[in-house]
Amino acid sequence: MQSTFGHKWLSLVPDDATQTLAIHEWRHQLAELSEAQMESGFRRMLKRSGANAAWPPGAAEFRALCKPHREPYERVEFQGHALPHKPLTPAENRERAPSLRAALRGEYPRGES
């Protein structure tokens, strides 16, 4: 961050006490992120535009860049439960209805989640 933002980054942590607090907060915010997520967040940070682009993000903002919001239909846990691409017959609808109801309640067969 210092090499990207220079004095702006340093101005956010002007003394040792502030730096210690910042390190603790960043460590807390980024603890569960993978290296790939952090790299992705860094790329998104560099692509920001507007007034905020010139200043480094705070820890929470950077975390949000690493883990962008996804609509439910984009989330991995919903991928196997999308609607079929072709229309189903009435018999197929009756056959699939119980498993769809279970999925809506959050109940998945073993091995899925």
Side-chain angles (χ1 to χ4, degrees), residues 89-109:
T89 66
E92 289 171 321
N93 281 330
R94 282 190 298 279
E95 181 182 317
R96 292 185 183 195
S99 65
L100 290 172
R101 284 188 193 103
L104 289 171
R105 289 190 305 267
E107 302 166 2
Y108 302 101

Side-chain angles (χ1 to χ4, degrees), residues 58-75:
E61 183 184 355
F62 184 76
R63 179 182 171 82
L65 291 167
C66 294
K67 293 182 77 170
H69 169 75
R70 291 189 179 152
E71 296 298 330
Y73 58 82
E74 297 175 308
R75 293 170 46 191

Side-chain angles (χ1 to χ4, degrees), residues 30-108:
L30 306 181
E32 297 177 9
L33 298 177
S34 69
E35 187 174 332
Q37 287 173 315
M38 285 190 266
E39 287 174 6
S40 177
F42 197 80
R43 283 192 303 275
R44 284 187 183 97
M45 179 191 70
L46 295 176
K47 290 180 183 177
R48 292 181 310 162
S49 60
N52 290 337
W55 284 90
E61 183 184 355
F62 184 76
R63 179 182 171 82
L65 291 167
C66 294
K67 293 182 77 170
H69 169 75
R70 291 189 179 152
E71 296 298 330
Y73 58 82
E74 297 175 308
R75 293 170 46 191
V76 173
E77 61 268 29
F78 291 106
Q79 292 303 309
H81 305 286
L83 295 174
H85 295 287
K86 67 177 180 90
L88 299 176
T89 66
E92 289 171 321
N93 281 330
R94 282 190 298 279
E95 181 182 317
R96 292 185 183 195
S99 65
L100 290 172
R101 284 188 193 103
L104 289 171
R105 289 190 305 267
E107 302 166 2
Y108 302 101

